[in-house]
Amino acid sequence: MTTHGFSFRARVVKHVPPGMYRISILATDVLGFELIGPGINRRTKTCLAGTPSCLGYAANTSWMVRLRRGTYRYRAVGPQVIALRPRPTSGSFRVP
């Protein structure tokens, strides 16, 4: 996995052993995260920029997930994705 969109260099992982993992997600109300793969289709809550009903909730979270054999895709989601630099804001990894 990776941390595209941040100013530090991250190590990109392309293969992960199967098992239970805690994924920590740094998100905001207008910039979230989505993970799709075998048995997983999860997305953090995001709102339209400036929507009063969404302001002030804690968007950072962590998920416990069981990674099984297959390919997983992840991406940034929400109205602020277009502002992220550098591109891309998505990727994939395999569980052998």
Side-chain angles (χ1 to χ4, degrees):
M1 290 180 255
T2 185
T3 53
H4 291 296
F6 292 90
S7 60
F8 58 88
R9 291 192 49 86
R11 192 175 118 233
V12 177
V13 176
K14 288 295 187 180
H15 295 92
V16 178
M20 288 296 292
Y21 289 87
R22 178 180 301 277
I23 300 174
S24 295
I25 301 161
L26 303 175
T28 68
D29 53 351
V30 292
L31 183 60
F33 177 77
E34 180 179 61
L35 178 63
I36 298 172
I40 298 175
N41 186 354
R42 293 192 72 174
R43 182 180 188 158
T44 59
K45 180 180 174 185
T46 55
C47 302
L48 294 176
T51 304
S53 64
C54 292
L55 298 178
Y57 78 88
N60 292 339
T61 190
S62 65
W63 298 337
M64 286 299 296
V65 296
R66 180 177 306 279
L67 298 181
R68 295 185 246 165
R69 186 176 185 192
T71 300
Y72 291 82
R73 295 183 328 253
Y74 58 90
R75 68 184 181 127
V77 294
Q80 291 295 318
V81 169
I82 198 155
L84 288 179
R85 296 282 187 262
R87 298 261 191 250
T89 57
S90 63
S92 65
F93 63 94
R94 288 196 49 74
V95 177

